[in-house]
Amino acid sequence: MQQNQSLSNDKLKIIAAAAMLIDHIGAYLLPTVTVLRIIGRISFPIFAFMIAEGCAYTGNKKKYLLNMFLLAVFCQIAFYPFKPPGYMRIPVTFLISMTVVFALQNCMSRLYGNYNNITKFVSVTALLLLILATAYLNRIFVIDYGFYGCMTPAIVSAVYPHKGISAKDRKYDTLYRKIGMLTIALIFVYKEYGGVQIYSFFAIPLLAMYNGKRENIVPKYFFYIFYPAHLAVIYAIKYLIK
């Protein structure tokens, strides 16, 4: 079967960042131009998928979590005046996501590894408590994309490759099953938010072209800087217009 997989990790994240920029221009500067919000719907699925990929392949989980934690704290403080109290931005969503994904990884490794039943029980219990804590946080705070948004990278991560096929076919099999899990997660997000969120499914064909590679097209921390930087520019323009 021929595979048309020409989009690397970096290219997909650039597409997602561009869509996010367009979305925020629509949200804060041109709220009557609905097409901008429609285009922006592909951003979250791509970034959520890449968070799952990052958690799967990072060589330093603590550093990965720390970077997202610092971004989340900075954005909550810097942009606090622009949203109601209790609103948590997307870096907070992904910080929670990463914590759940790492707990899921720990749980799966113990369930499938040579560990005693007590260790397995503790690992499963810890994961379930973390999921319950995520649900509770979404009841007391307004977290961007809600509970299902927080859980999306974890749902994508709940895929183990089949062992009874060739390494090449296993790669595609794993990718498509991850995309299938993402689709399920997006259905739940859509059921919660409705409206233009239906257009988030347009990210699926793009992710089907993912080749699993990194090209280092942009500097390492570009996307960490891009999020607060583009918001600062948009808020500044909105202030000047007013």
Side-chain angles (χ1 to χ4, degrees):
M1 182 171 60
Q2 294 294 321
Q3 307 290 343
N4 180 21
Q5 296 184 295
S6 57
L7 293 179
S8 65
N9 180 298
D10 296 311
K11 287 177 180 176
L12 281 166
K13 287 197 287 189
I14 289 170
I15 291 170
M20 180 171 60
L21 173 61
I22 292 169
D23 182 48
H24 288 162
I25 290 173
Y28 300 112
L29 300 179
L30 300 169
T32 60
V33 185
T34 307
V35 67
L36 300 180
R37 306 307 311 279
I38 289 173
I39 295 171
R41 292 312 91 207
I42 69 170
S43 179
F44 170 76
I46 295 175
F47 275 127
F49 191 92
M50 291 305 156
I51 287 290
E53 287 291 281
C55 289
Y57 297 110
T58 182
N60 191 330
K61 295 180 180 180
K62 291 181 180 179
K63 185 177 180 181
Y64 195 28
L65 270 173
L66 178 61
N67 288 340
M68 189 60 70
F69 173 79
L70 293 175
L71 177 62
V73 171
F74 174 79
C75 290
Q76 287 302 124
I77 295 173
F79 301 119
Y80 177 80
F82 302 100
K83 284 289 185 180
Y87 176 79
M88 301 290 130
R89 295 181 176 275
I90 197 69
V92 175
T93 305
F94 286 148
L95 176 63
I96 296 171
S97 299
M98 291 164 63
T99 306
V100 176
V101 171
F102 288 141
L104 175 64
Q105 289 177 354
N106 179 273
C107 182
M108 296 297 282
S109 67
R110 277 152 179 74
L111 288 176
Y112 288 96
N114 187 23
Y115 294 89
N116 60 50
N117 289 334
I118 294 177
T119 300
K120 293 179 180 180
F121 175 78
V122 170
S123 183
V124 171
T125 302
L127 175 62
L128 292 176
L129 288 174
L130 187 56
I131 293 173
L132 289 174
T134 301
Y136 178 72
L137 286 173
N138 275 277
R139 291 180 67 88
I140 61 176
F141 297 106
V142 180
I143 300 177
D144 211 358
Y145 282 94
F147 172 75
Y148 295 114
C150 293
M151 294 303 298
T152 296
I155 293 172
V156 173
S157 297
V159 169
Y160 268 52
H162 288 139
K163 296 181 179 180
I165 55 179
S166 68
K168 181 179 179 181
D169 289 338
R170 192 182 307 155
K171 171 186 173 183
Y172 298 124
D173 171 76
T174 303
L175 172 63
Y176 295 142
R177 287 197 291 134
K178 285 181 178 179
I179 291 174
M181 297 297 281
L182 175 67
T183 303
I184 293 171
L186 293 180
I187 290 172
F188 285 107
V189 174
Y190 171 67
K191 287 184 68 176
E192 183 172 354
Y193 288 95
V196 295
Q197 198 61 41
I198 190 69
Y199 296 101
S200 65
F201 294 96
F202 283 126
I204 300 301
L206 292 172
L207 288 167
M209 299 173 66
Y210 177 46
N211 59 22
K213 298 178 180 178
R214 297 195 64 172
E215 295 184 279
N216 297 318
I217 297 173
V218 296
K220 184 177 181 180
Y221 294 103
F222 172 80
F223 297 104
Y224 289 97
I225 297 170
F226 177 81
Y227 180 80
H230 91 279
L231 278 181
V233 172
I234 287 174
Y235 284 140
I237 293 173
K238 184 177 181 179
Y239 175 80
L240 291 173
I241 291 174
K242 286 187 174 181

Short mmCIF file of all heavy atoms in Angstrom, two decimals, residues 91-137:
data_model
loop_
_atom_site.label_atom_id
_atom_site.label_comp_id
_atom_site.label_asym_id
_atom_site.label_seq_id
_atom_site.Cartn_x
_atom_site.Cartn_y
_atom_site.Cartn_z
N PRO A 91 -1.78 26.07 27.53
CA PRO A 91 -0.61 25.44 28.15
C PRO A 91 -0.95 24.68 29.43
O PRO A 91 -0.32 23.66 29.73
CB PRO A 91 0.33 26.62 28.42
CG PRO A 91 -0.06 27.65 27.40
CD PRO A 91 -1.54 27.52 27.28
N VAL A 92 -1.95 25.17 30.18
CA VAL A 92 -2.39 24.44 31.38
C VAL A 92 -3.04 23.12 30.96
O VAL A 92 -2.80 22.08 31.58
CB VAL A 92 -3.37 25.29 32.20
CG1 VAL A 92 -3.92 24.49 33.38
CG2 VAL A 92 -2.69 26.56 32.71
N THR A 93 -3.86 23.18 29.92
CA THR A 93 -4.48 21.96 29.39
C THR A 93 -3.42 20.93 29.06
O THR A 93 -3.52 19.76 29.48
CB THR A 93 -5.29 22.28 28.11
OG1 THR A 93 -6.24 23.30 28.39
CG2 THR A 93 -6.01 21.04 27.60
N PHE A 94 -2.39 21.35 28.33
CA PHE A 94 -1.37 20.39 27.90
C PHE A 94 -0.45 19.97 29.05
O PHE A 94 0.11 18.86 29.02
CB PHE A 94 -0.57 20.97 26.74
CG PHE A 94 -1.33 20.98 25.44
CD1 PHE A 94 -1.11 21.97 24.49
CD2 PHE A 94 -2.27 20.01 25.16
CE1 PHE A 94 -1.81 21.98 23.28
CE2 PHE A 94 -2.98 20.01 23.96
CZ PHE A 94 -2.75 21.00 23.03
N LEU A 95 -0.28 20.82 30.04
CA LEU A 95 0.48 20.42 31.22
C LEU A 95 -0.23 19.27 31.93
O LEU A 95 0.40 18.28 32.33
CB LEU A 95 0.64 21.61 32.18
CG LEU A 95 1.34 21.32 33.51
CD1 LEU A 95 2.78 20.86 33.29
CD2 LEU A 95 1.30 22.55 34.42
N ILE A 96 -1.54 19.40 32.10
CA ILE A 96 -2.33 18.31 32.68
C ILE A 96 -2.26 17.07 31.79
O ILE A 96 -2.08 15.94 32.29
CB ILE A 96 -3.79 18.75 32.87
CG1 ILE A 96 -3.88 19.90 33.88
CG2 ILE A 96 -4.66 17.58 33.32
CD1 ILE A 96 -5.25 20.54 33.97
N SER A 97 -2.37 17.27 30.48
CA SER A 97 -2.31 16.16 29.53
C SER A 97 -1.02 15.37 29.68
O SER A 97 -1.03 14.13 29.73
CB SER A 97 -2.40 16.69 28.09
OG SER A 97 -3.62 17.35 27.86
N MET A 98 0.09 16.08 29.74
CA MET A 98 1.39 15.43 29.83
C MET A 98 1.51 14.62 31.12
O MET A 98 2.05 13.50 31.12
CB MET A 98 2.50 16.47 29.74
CG MET A 98 2.62 17.10 28.36
SD MET A 98 3.57 18.64 28.34
CE MET A 98 5.17 18.05 28.87
N THR A 99 0.99 15.16 32.21
CA THR A 99 1.03 14.45 33.49
C THR A 99 0.25 13.15 33.40
O THR A 99 0.70 12.09 33.87
CB THR A 99 0.45 15.34 34.60
OG1 THR A 99 1.13 16.60 34.62
CG2 THR A 99 0.61 14.68 35.96
N VAL A 100 -0.93 13.21 32.77
CA VAL A 100 -1.74 12.00 32.61
C VAL A 100 -1.06 11.00 31.69
O VAL A 100 -1.06 9.79 31.96
CB VAL A 100 -3.15 12.36 32.08
CG1 VAL A 100 -3.97 11.09 31.82
CG2 VAL A 100 -3.89 13.27 33.05
N VAL A 101 -0.46 11.49 30.60
CA VAL A 101 0.22 10.58 29.66
C VAL A 101 1.37 9.85 30.34
O VAL A 101 1.53 8.63 30.18
CB VAL A 101 0.74 11.35 28.42
CG1 VAL A 101 1.63 10.45 27.57
CG2 VAL A 101 -0.42 11.86 27.58
N PHE A 102 2.17 10.57 31.12
CA PHE A 102 3.29 9.92 31.80
C PHE A 102 2.80 8.91 32.83
O PHE A 102 3.41 7.85 33.03
CB PHE A 102 4.20 10.97 32.44
CG PHE A 102 5.01 11.76 31.45
CD1 PHE A 102 5.23 13.12 31.63
CD2 PHE A 102 5.55 11.15 30.33
CE1 PHE A 102 5.97 13.86 30.72
CE2 PHE A 102 6.30 11.87 29.40
CZ PHE A 102 6.51 13.23 29.61
N ALA A 103 1.69 9.23 33.49
CA ALA A 103 1.10 8.27 34.43
C ALA A 103 0.59 7.04 33.69
O ALA A 103 0.72 5.91 34.16
CB ALA A 103 -0.03 8.93 35.21
N LEU A 104 0.02 7.26 32.50
CA LEU A 104 -0.45 6.14 31.68
C LEU A 104 0.72 5.28 31.22
O LEU A 104 0.63 4.03 31.26
CB LEU A 104 -1.20 6.68 30.46
CG LEU A 104 -1.65 5.65 29.42
CD1 LEU A 104 -2.68 4.69 30.03
CD2 LEU A 104 -2.24 6.35 28.19
N GLN A 105 1.80 5.91 30.82
CA GLN A 105 2.99 5.16 30.41
C GLN A 105 3.50 4.29 31.56
O GLN A 105 3.85 3.12 31.37
CB GLN A 105 4.09 6.12 29.96
CG GLN A 105 3.81 6.81 28.64
CD GLN A 105 4.91 7.81 28.29
OE1 GLN A 105 5.82 8.06 29.08
NE2 GLN A 105 4.82 8.38 27.11
N ASN A 106 3.56 4.88 32.74
CA ASN A 106 4.01 4.15 33.92
C ASN A 106 3.10 2.97 34.21
O ASN A 106 3.57 1.85 34.50
CB ASN A 106 4.04 5.11 35.11
CG ASN A 106 4.48 4.44 36.39
OD1 ASN A 106 3.68 3.86 37.12
ND2 ASN A 106 5.77 4.49 36.69
N CYS A 107 1.80 3.21 34.09
CA CYS A 107 0.81 2.16 34.35
C CYS A 107 0.94 1.01 33.35
O CYS A 107 0.97 -0.17 33.73
CB CYS A 107 -0.59 2.76 34.30
SG CYS A 107 -1.91 1.60 34.67
N MET A 108 1.04 1.35 32.07
CA MET A 108 1.12 0.32 31.04
C MET A 108 2.40 -0.49 31.16
O MET A 108 2.40 -1.72 30.96
CB MET A 108 1.04 0.98 29.66
CG MET A 108 -0.28 1.68 29.37
SD MET A 108 -1.70 0.56 29.36
CE MET A 108 -1.52 -0.19 27.75
N SER A 109 3.51 0.17 31.48
CA SER A 109 4.78 -0.55 31.61
C SER A 109 4.73 -1.55 32.76
O SER A 109 5.34 -2.64 32.68
CB SER A 109 5.93 0.44 31.82
OG SER A 109 5.81 1.09 33.07
N ARG A 110 4.01 -1.21 33.81
CA ARG A 110 3.89 -2.13 34.94
C ARG A 110 2.88 -3.26 34.68
O ARG A 110 3.10 -4.39 35.10
CB ARG A 110 3.53 -1.35 36.20
CG ARG A 110 4.78 -0.75 36.85
CD ARG A 110 4.53 0.51 37.62
NE ARG A 110 5.79 0.97 38.21
CZ ARG A 110 6.78 1.55 37.52
NH1 ARG A 110 6.66 1.71 36.20
NH2 ARG A 110 7.89 1.96 38.11
N LEU A 111 1.82 -2.93 33.99
CA LEU A 111 0.83 -3.97 33.69
C LEU A 111 1.39 -5.02 32.75
O LEU A 111 1.08 -6.21 32.87
CB LEU A 111 -0.42 -3.34 33.08
CG LEU A 111 -1.32 -2.54 34.02
CD1 LEU A 111 -2.47 -1.90 33.25
CD2 LEU A 111 -1.87 -3.42 35.13
N TYR A 112 2.23 -4.57 31.78
CA TYR A 112 2.78 -5.50 30.80
C TYR A 112 4.19 -5.98 31.18
O TYR A 112 4.76 -6.83 30.50
CB TYR A 112 2.84 -4.85 29.42
CG TYR A 112 1.46 -4.70 28.79
CD1 TYR A 112 0.76 -3.51 28.90
CD2 TYR A 112 0.86 -5.75 28.11
CE1 TYR A 112 -0.51 -3.36 28.34
CE2 TYR A 112 -0.39 -5.63 27.55
CZ TYR A 112 -1.08 -4.43 27.67
OH TYR A 112 -2.33 -4.29 27.12
N GLY A 113 4.73 -5.43 32.25
CA GLY A 113 6.06 -5.83 32.69
C GLY A 113 6.03 -6.89 33.77
O GLY A 113 4.97 -7.34 34.20
N ASN A 114 7.19 -7.25 34.23
CA ASN A 114 7.31 -8.29 35.25
C ASN A 114 7.28 -7.67 36.64
O ASN A 114 8.28 -7.57 37.34
CB ASN A 114 8.63 -9.06 35.05
CG ASN A 114 8.72 -10.26 35.97
OD1 ASN A 114 7.71 -10.79 36.44
ND2 ASN A 114 9.95 -10.70 36.24
N TYR A 115 6.08 -7.20 37.02
CA TYR A 115 5.90 -6.56 38.32
C TYR A 115 4.86 -7.34 39.12
O TYR A 115 3.99 -8.00 38.56
CB TYR A 115 5.44 -5.10 38.15
CG TYR A 115 6.48 -4.21 37.51
CD1 TYR A 115 6.53 -4.07 36.12
CD2 TYR A 115 7.39 -3.52 38.28
CE1 TYR A 115 7.48 -3.25 35.53
CE2 TYR A 115 8.34 -2.70 37.71
CZ TYR A 115 8.38 -2.57 36.33
OH TYR A 115 9.32 -1.76 35.76
N ASN A 116 4.94 -7.20 40.44
CA ASN A 116 3.98 -7.90 41.29
C ASN A 116 2.62 -7.20 41.25
O ASN A 116 2.50 -6.06 40.79
CB ASN A 116 4.49 -8.04 42.73
CG ASN A 116 4.75 -6.68 43.38
OD1 ASN A 116 3.90 -5.79 43.36
ND2 ASN A 116 5.93 -6.52 43.96
N ASN A 117 1.60 -7.86 41.76
CA ASN A 117 0.24 -7.34 41.68
C ASN A 117 0.03 -6.06 42.48
O ASN A 117 -0.78 -5.21 42.11
CB ASN A 117 -0.75 -8.41 42.15
CG ASN A 117 -0.86 -9.56 41.18
OD1 ASN A 117 -0.62 -9.40 39.98
ND2 ASN A 117 -1.21 -10.75 41.68
N ILE A 118 0.76 -5.93 43.58
CA ILE A 118 0.63 -4.71 44.39
C ILE A 118 1.12 -3.50 43.61
O ILE A 118 0.47 -2.44 43.59
CB ILE A 118 1.42 -4.86 45.71
CG1 ILE A 118 0.79 -5.95 46.57
CG2 ILE A 118 1.45 -3.52 46.45
CD1 ILE A 118 1.54 -6.22 47.86
N THR A 119 2.25 -3.66 42.95
CA THR A 119 2.80 -2.56 42.13
C THR A 119 1.83 -2.19 41.01
O THR A 119 1.61 -1.01 40.73
CB THR A 119 4.16 -2.97 41.54
OG1 THR A 119 5.07 -3.27 42.60
CG2 THR A 119 4.74 -1.83 40.69
N LYS A 120 1.26 -3.20 40.37
CA LYS A 120 0.30 -2.96 39.30
C LYS A 120 -0.93 -2.23 39.84
O LYS A 120 -1.43 -1.28 39.22
CB LYS A 120 -0.10 -4.27 38.64
CG LYS A 120 1.02 -4.95 37.88
CD LYS A 120 0.57 -6.27 37.27
CE LYS A 120 1.71 -6.93 36.49
NZ LYS A 120 1.29 -8.22 35.89
N PHE A 121 -1.41 -2.67 40.99
CA PHE A 121 -2.59 -2.05 41.59
C PHE A 121 -2.33 -0.59 41.93
O PHE A 121 -3.17 0.28 41.67
CB PHE A 121 -3.01 -2.82 42.85
CG PHE A 121 -4.14 -2.19 43.61
CD1 PHE A 121 -5.45 -2.34 43.17
CD2 PHE A 121 -3.89 -1.43 44.75
CE1 PHE A 121 -6.50 -1.74 43.85
CE2 PHE A 121 -4.93 -0.84 45.44
CZ PHE A 121 -6.23 -0.99 45.00
N VAL A 122 -1.18 -0.32 42.53
CA VAL A 122 -0.82 1.06 42.89
C VAL A 122 -0.74 1.94 41.65
O VAL A 122 -1.23 3.08 41.64
CB VAL A 122 0.51 1.09 43.67
CG1 VAL A 122 1.01 2.53 43.82
CG2 VAL A 122 0.36 0.44 45.02
N SER A 123 -0.16 1.42 40.58
CA SER A 123 0.00 2.18 39.35
C SER A 123 -1.35 2.50 38.72
O SER A 123 -1.60 3.63 38.29
CB SER A 123 0.87 1.40 38.36
OG SER A 123 1.08 2.14 37.19
N VAL A 124 -2.24 1.51 38.67
CA VAL A 124 -3.58 1.72 38.10
C VAL A 124 -4.37 2.71 38.96
O VAL A 124 -5.03 3.62 38.44
CB VAL A 124 -4.34 0.39 37.99
CG1 VAL A 124 -5.80 0.63 37.61
CG2 VAL A 124 -3.68 -0.51 36.96
N THR A 125 -4.26 2.56 40.27
CA THR A 125 -4.98 3.46 41.19
C THR A 125 -4.50 4.90 41.03
O THR A 125 -5.32 5.83 41.00
CB THR A 125 -4.78 3.00 42.64
OG1 THR A 125 -5.25 1.66 42.79
CG2 THR A 125 -5.54 3.91 43.60
N ALA A 126 -3.19 5.07 40.90
CA ALA A 126 -2.64 6.42 40.74
C ALA A 126 -3.15 7.06 39.45
O ALA A 126 -3.50 8.25 39.42
CB ALA A 126 -1.12 6.35 40.73
N LEU A 127 -3.22 6.27 38.39
CA LEU A 127 -3.71 6.79 37.11
C LEU A 127 -5.18 7.20 37.22
O LEU A 127 -5.58 8.28 36.77
CB LEU A 127 -3.54 5.75 36.01
CG LEU A 127 -4.13 6.11 34.64
CD1 LEU A 127 -3.47 7.35 34.07
CD2 LEU A 127 -3.98 4.94 33.67
N LEU A 128 -5.99 6.34 37.84
CA LEU A 128 -7.42 6.64 37.99
C LEU A 128 -7.63 7.88 38.86
O LEU A 128 -8.49 8.72 38.56
CB LEU A 128 -8.14 5.44 38.59
CG LEU A 128 -8.23 4.20 37.70
CD1 LEU A 128 -8.90 3.05 38.45
CD2 LEU A 128 -9.00 4.51 36.41
N LEU A 129 -6.85 8.03 39.92
CA LEU A 129 -6.97 9.20 40.78
C LEU A 129 -6.58 10.47 40.03
O LEU A 129 -7.20 11.53 40.22
CB LEU A 129 -6.09 9.03 42.02
CG LEU A 129 -6.57 8.00 43.06
CD1 LEU A 129 -5.53 7.84 44.16
CD2 LEU A 129 -7.91 8.43 43.65
N LEU A 130 -5.58 10.36 39.17
CA LEU A 130 -5.16 11.52 38.38
C LEU A 130 -6.25 11.92 37.39
O LEU A 130 -6.50 13.12 37.18
CB LEU A 130 -3.86 11.20 37.64
CG LEU A 130 -3.18 12.35 36.90
CD1 LEU A 130 -2.90 13.52 37.83
CD2 LEU A 130 -1.88 11.88 36.26
N ILE A 131 -6.90 10.94 36.79
CA ILE A 131 -8.01 11.23 35.87
C ILE A 131 -9.17 11.89 36.62
O ILE A 131 -9.77 12.87 36.15
CB ILE A 131 -8.47 9.95 35.16
CG1 ILE A 131 -7.37 9.45 34.23
CG2 ILE A 131 -9.76 10.20 34.38
CD1 ILE A 131 -7.65 8.09 33.62
N LEU A 132 -9.46 11.39 37.82
CA LEU A 132 -10.51 11.99 38.64
C LEU A 132 -10.15 13.41 39.05
O LEU A 132 -11.00 14.31 39.07
CB LEU A 132 -10.77 11.13 39.88
CG LEU A 132 -11.46 9.79 39.65
CD1 LEU A 132 -11.52 8.98 40.95
CD2 LEU A 132 -12.87 10.00 39.11
N ALA A 133 -8.87 13.62 39.37
CA ALA A 133 -8.40 14.96 39.72
C ALA A 133 -8.55 15.91 38.53
O ALA A 133 -8.91 17.09 38.70
CB ALA A 133 -6.95 14.91 40.19
N THR A 134 -8.28 15.41 37.33
CA THR A 134 -8.45 16.22 36.12
C THR A 134 -9.91 16.62 35.94
O THR A 134 -10.22 17.77 35.62
CB THR A 134 -7.97 15.43 34.88
OG1 THR A 134 -6.59 15.10 35.05
CG2 THR A 134 -8.14 16.26 33.61
N ALA A 135 -10.81 15.67 36.16
CA ALA A 135 -12.24 15.97 36.07
C ALA A 135 -12.65 17.01 37.11
O ALA A 135 -13.42 17.93 36.82
CB ALA A 135 -13.05 14.69 36.24
N TYR A 136 -12.11 16.88 38.32
CA TYR A 136 -12.44 17.82 39.38
C TYR A 136 -11.93 19.23 39.06
O TYR A 136 -12.63 20.23 39.26
CB TYR A 136 -11.85 17.34 40.71
CG TYR A 136 -12.11 18.28 41.86
CD1 TYR A 136 -13.39 18.39 42.41
CD2 TYR A 136 -11.09 19.05 42.40
CE1 TYR A 136 -13.63 19.25 43.46
CE2 TYR A 136 -11.32 19.92 43.45
CZ TYR A 136 -12.60 20.02 43.98
OH TYR A 136 -12.84 20.89 45.01
N LEU A 137 -10.70 19.32 38.57
CA LEU A 137 -10.14 20.62 38.20
C LEU A 137 -10.99 21.31 37.14
O LEU A 137 -11.13 22.54 37.14
CB LEU A 137 -8.71 20.45 37.69
CG LEU A 137 -7.64 20.14 38.74
CD1 LEU A 137 -6.31 19.83 38.07
CD2 LEU A 137 -7.48 21.31 39.70
#
